[in-house]
Amino acid sequence: MPRPIRTAGVLSLYVLQVLPRVTGTRPRECTCCGYVGRFGMYGHPPRYDARCPECGSLERQRLIVLAMERARLLRADDRVLYFTPERPLANYLRARVGPFEPAGLRDSEQLEAQDGAFNVVVASNILEHADDDRRALAELKRVLSPGGRLIITVPLVQGWESTYENPSVRTEEERAHHFGERNHLRFYGRDVGDRIRDAGFTVDEHIATGEESVRYGLIRGDHVFIARKPLRQPKSDAAESSGRTTRNPRAKVGVLTTGQGLRAQRR
């Protein structure tokens, strides 16, 4: 059989398999908005039961909400910094803590905010964009108040012992080939928890159970890291902080370009 005919046959079979699942395979529940029903397909290649038709949440946002509620993370008077807000999670936060401060995708290494300005920082798929993720973690710790909470998700390959970084990868095309996206600089391995701890945080890892993954339409094995800044600052850090120029507490955290305030959905 000629190759074009074989290819057409394979594509036809693929379409027949995908089409019935476009609008969902079974009812799910959205942790962000409370919707119960079928979730839509999203992504390329497609992920079935991925997108809530009510608020547009994807698996990552629903897992973050699940982790926050497990940990009873939010308080009504929390001051929250949220990097490149996504609408489903932004709406969830506004309903519980009111307005929050947005920050841009590449602002994590230098924030124009006062030391200890925030109780909660949400850095969902941010660290893989930082030129120096260790510097970014140190900066996130600086702007957190004692006992403050940092919510982190990253692209993670649990089977890798160490994070994959490659300084020879420079172009956007090479980055997409090596790290999955044109603006990613690394793919994290199991050492990501150690990187966060090395910055001076305590870390809890949150993973959905099998039943929760089915109920809420989550990707099995995905992680949310909840890091906490110690209530007491180590003496070495305190000495370093005392020599730093105090920032204006009313300074803007970062500059968002038009349309970046609520970023487009992605995995």
Side-chain angles (χ1 to χ4, degrees):
M1 181 182 296
R3 180 178 295 177
I5 295 178
R6 291 202 307 272
T7 301
V10 170
L11 289 175
S12 298
L13 179 60
Y14 178 75
V15 170
L16 290 174
Q17 292 173 334
V18 169
L19 282 178
R21 306 179 186 183
V22 168
T23 55
T25 63
R26 63 187 64 195
R28 313 280 182 166
E29 182 177 338
C30 181
T31 60
C32 295
C33 70
Y35 168 84
V36 178
R38 292 177 182 266
F39 287 179
M41 183 177 74
Y42 190 85
H44 179 75
R47 305 191 307 275
Y48 304 118
D49 301 320
R51 186 177 186 276
C52 171
E54 184 71 21
C55 71
S57 72
L58 298 176
E59 305 97 330
R60 176 166 45 84
Q61 292 108 37
R62 294 193 294 273
L63 180 59
I64 289 172
V65 169
L66 180 63
M68 289 194 298
E69 293 187 346
R70 272 183 184 172
R72 299 181 179 180
L73 193 86
L74 297 177
R75 297 188 290 265
D77 60 348
D78 277 334
R79 304 181 306 277
V80 178
L81 171 65
Y82 184 4
F83 283 87
T84 57
E86 298 165 300
R87 191 178 304 277
L89 190 52
N91 290 341
Y92 176 89
L93 290 171
R94 285 195 190 96
R96 286 153 182 83
V97 300
F100 54 81
E101 189 76 33
L105 187 66
R106 301 301 298 273
D107 291 331
S108 61
E109 295 174 74
Q110 188 171 3
L111 293 165
E112 295 180 0
Q114 185 181 26
D115 292 2
F118 302 101
N119 306 113
V120 176
V121 173
V122 181
S124 175
N125 282 23
I126 294 298
L127 291 178
E128 66 272 16
H129 298 271
D131 291 328
D132 184 342
D133 62 338
R134 290 177 172 85
R135 178 182 175 186
L137 284 166
E139 184 70 348
L140 297 178
K141 182 186 175 189
R142 180 186 68 77
V143 300
L144 274 171
S145 61
R149 293 86 72 199
L150 169 61
I151 302 163
I152 295 175
T153 63
V154 294
L156 174 63
V157 179
Q158 188 66 17
W160 290 353
E161 182 177 348
S162 58
T163 295
Y164 172 50
E165 298 174 286
N166 190 335
S168 68
V169 174
R170 298 180 181 276
T171 68
E172 290 186 350
E173 289 74 19
E174 289 175 330
R175 287 172 179 168
H177 185 63
H178 282 258
F179 308 125
E181 296 287 347
R182 291 174 175 267
N183 56 358
H184 286 193
L185 302 178
R186 60 191 59 84
F187 231 127
Y188 284 93
R190 292 194 304 274
D191 63 335
V192 61
D194 292 332
R195 291 192 180 209
I196 301 170
R197 291 182 190 94
D198 288 346
F201 293 99
T202 60
V203 182
D204 292 321
E205 298 183 28
H206 291 259
I207 308 170
T209 65
E211 183 177 345
E212 288 169 335
S213 298
V214 172
R215 178 179 178 182
Y216 301 119
L218 306 175
I219 296 176
R220 295 165 181 83
D222 267 7
H223 285 57
V224 173
F225 298 89
I226 295 182
R228 297 177 187 270
K229 181 176 178 176
L231 288 171
R232 293 186 177 181
Q233 189 177 13
K235 291 183 179 179
S236 60
D237 290 352
E240 180 182 345
S241 179
S242 65
R244 182 185 297 119
T245 302
T246 302
R247 289 168 168 80
N248 180 358
R250 296 184 179 276
K252 292 297 183 181
V253 172
V255 179
L256 298 180
T257 58
T258 303
Q260 192 181 8
L262 291 175
R263 71 181 177 193
Q265 290 284 57
R266 58 185 175 85
R267 158 79 168 85

